[in-house]
Amino acid sequence: MKNCEYQQIDPRALSVSPSSAQNHTEKKAQRPRRKWEVFPGKNRFFCDGRIILARQSGVLPLTLGLIVVTCGLFFAFDCPFLVEHLTVFIPVIGGVLFVFVVISLLRTSFTDPGILPRATPDEAADIEKQIDTSGSSTYRPPPRTKEILINQQVVKLKYCFTCKMFRPPRTSHCSLCDNCVERFDHHCPWVGNCVGKRNYRFFYSFIISLSFLTSFIFGCVITHITLLIDDMVMLSCLDSSLCTVVELVICFFSIWSILGLSGFHTYLVASNLTTNEDIKGSWSSKRGAEDSGNPYSYNSIMTNCCVTLCGPMPPSLIDRRGLLPPDEATPAASASDIELPLFAAKNDTHMVG
C-alpha cells in the first residue's frame, strides 16, 4: 500500500501538472462569446445583445423625459378638473395615447434598423479581385459603382469601402453608427438610433401617436384655462394654473414641429420614399434625368402605405446574439488534452507496478 502511494506521487508527473492544471483552469474560465461583443459598428448593446442603441444616444432620455413630464403634469393638474367638469374619458384617452407613444418610442430605439453585416475577409478579397483592374495594390480607384435595372430603370449601387461590399438598393452607410443600413431613412438622435427598414414602421407610429397626444393635451389645456377664466378661480388655484401654463408652453412649441414632421413622413410613406432619397433628390426631375420617376413606387398611395408599414417584418441579419466560433480557445484546449492523458498514463503505470 505504501509502495503504491509513493509511486503515485511521481516528480515527473508533478512537473507536468502545473501547466496542465493552468490550461484546464483557462479552459473552464473561457465562456462562449457572442457576436455583439466584437461588433465592428459604433453601437451599444444591452441585455446580452437583445437591445441595440447608437453610441451617441444621450438625447433619448431627454425625449422620454419631456413626454413623461408633460403627461405627468397633465394627469396631475388638468385631468381632475376636466373629469369634474367634463367627462371621465379624458384621462382614459390620454393614458392610452401615452402608453402607445412610449411603446413606439422604445421599439424604435431598441430595434435593429436593418444593419447589414460587413463582408468577411474572403468575400472582400473576392470582390477586390473582381473589380481591381489597376494592377497595383496601393492605387485606390475612384468610387466604384454597379448598375442594375429596377422596373426598367437604371439604379446605381455604390461600393462601401468600410463594409467592403456593394450596397444593395436604398442602402446607405451611417457615419454616426458606422453601419450600412437597409432602406436607410435617417439617423434620429431623438430616438437614439438609425431609422431604416426594420424600425421605420415603429418610428412612424411614434410620431403619429405623439402628434395626437400633443394635440389632445394642448386642447385639454386650452379648455382647462378657458373654464378657469369663466369660473373666475384663476387666482385661487395659482399652483395648478402655473403648471397648466407650463404644459401650454411645452405643447405650443412642440406641436408645430411634431405635426410638420408627421405630415412630411406621411408624404414619404404615400410616395414610398425615404428621407435620404428626398433630401438628395434621387428621383426628382430637378436632376435632369430622363427617367426620374421613383422605381420603388407602386403608383398607388394605398399600396405604398401597406408595403411600407404593413409588410412582413424582415429578420435581423447581424445575428448579434450568435456565438463566435471558438478558434482562439482551440490551441489551449488541444494542449491540455495532450498533457492530461500523459499524466493519467503515468499514474496507471505506477499503480500497476
Side-chain angles (χ1 to χ4, degrees), residues 26-323:
E26 291 178 354
K27 184 178 179 181
K28 283 186 176 180
Q30 288 179 350
R31 62 177 181 84
R33 302 182 68 188
R34 298 192 182 272
K35 294 182 180 179
W36 67 266
E37 299 181 67
V38 294
F39 188 71
K42 298 178 182 178
N43 296 89
R44 293 188 297 173
F45 296 86
F46 303 92
C47 299
D48 198 18
R50 293 179 176 86
I51 295 176
I52 180 173
L53 279 172
R55 186 171 297 177
Q56 299 175 352
S57 57
V59 186
L60 175 60
L62 176 61
T63 306
L64 193 59
L66 285 174
I67 296 173
V68 171
V69 168
T70 304
C71 292
L73 294 175
F74 170 71
F75 288 122
F77 297 100
D78 293 318
C79 284
F81 182 86
L82 295 176
V83 166
E84 182 181 353
H85 288 77
L86 295 178
T87 176
V88 72
F89 290 104
I90 289 180
V92 175
I93 297 173
V96 171
L97 289 174
F98 170 74
V99 172
F100 195 82
V101 166
V102 172
I103 291 176
S104 299
L105 172 61
L106 297 181
R107 288 295 300 270
T108 306
S109 303
F110 298 157
T111 301
D112 168 24
I115 298 173
L116 292 177
R118 302 187 180 186
T120 62
D122 294 336
E123 294 172 345
D126 184 61
I127 294 176
E128 288 291 337
K129 289 179 181 179
Q130 294 177 11
I131 62 180
D132 186 15
T133 58
S134 63
S136 173
S137 59
T138 59
Y139 172 72
R140 180 167 176 168
R144 309 161 182 179
T145 59
K146 278 184 177 180
E147 291 185 350
I148 61 172
L149 280 177
I150 298 179
N151 292 331
Q152 305 302 319
Q153 188 167 336
V154 177
V155 176
K156 291 184 178 181
L157 306 183
K158 294 182 178 180
Y159 181 81
C160 181
F161 287 96
T162 302
C163 300
K164 304 296 182 184
M165 66 177 182
F166 283 98
R167 302 170 191 161
R170 315 190 86 177
T171 299
S172 184
H173 192 91
C174 177
S175 59
L176 295 176
C177 296
D178 200 23
N179 297 310
C180 279
V181 180
E182 278 191 294
R183 202 185 183 276
F184 178 76
D185 193 87
H186 68 289
H187 182 93
C188 183
W190 295 98
V191 302
N193 202 355
C194 286
V195 178
K197 184 177 182 179
R198 298 190 71 250
N199 64 345
Y200 183 81
R201 64 190 68 189
F202 304 128
F203 174 77
Y204 183 75
S205 64
F206 165 64
I207 59 176
I208 291 296
S209 58
L210 185 60
S211 299
F212 281 107
L213 178 62
T214 308
S215 302
F216 179 74
I217 293 178
F218 186 72
C220 289
V221 170
I222 294 294
T223 304
H224 187 185
I225 294 176
T226 303
L227 293 176
L228 284 177
I229 294 175
D230 291 342
D231 293 341
M232 298 299 292
V233 293
M234 194 77 172
L235 294 178
S236 61
C237 303
L238 186 59
D239 294 338
S240 176
S241 301
L242 290 177
C243 295
T244 303
V245 170
V246 171
E247 294 176 68
L248 182 64
V249 171
I250 294 176
C251 292
F252 179 80
F253 284 103
S254 60
I255 190 172
W256 309 114
S257 58
I258 296 173
L259 289 177
L261 186 64
S262 300
F264 173 68
H265 278 277
T266 300
Y267 155 74
L268 294 179
V269 170
S271 306
N272 201 351
L273 285 171
T274 65
T275 303
N276 186 49
E277 292 169 347
D278 185 76
I279 291 176
K280 291 182 177 179
S282 301
W283 318 118
S284 174
S285 58
K286 296 178 181 179
R287 302 191 67 170
E290 295 180 359
D291 299 328
S292 58
N294 181 10
Y296 309 107
S297 176
Y298 291 87
N299 297 322
S300 170
I301 294 177
M302 186 63 66
T303 306
N304 287 337
C305 293
C306 291
V307 169
T308 305
L309 302 177
C310 305
M313 183 71 167
S316 178
L317 300 178
I318 56 176
D319 189 24
R320 54 188 182 272
R321 300 196 68 245
L323 296 176

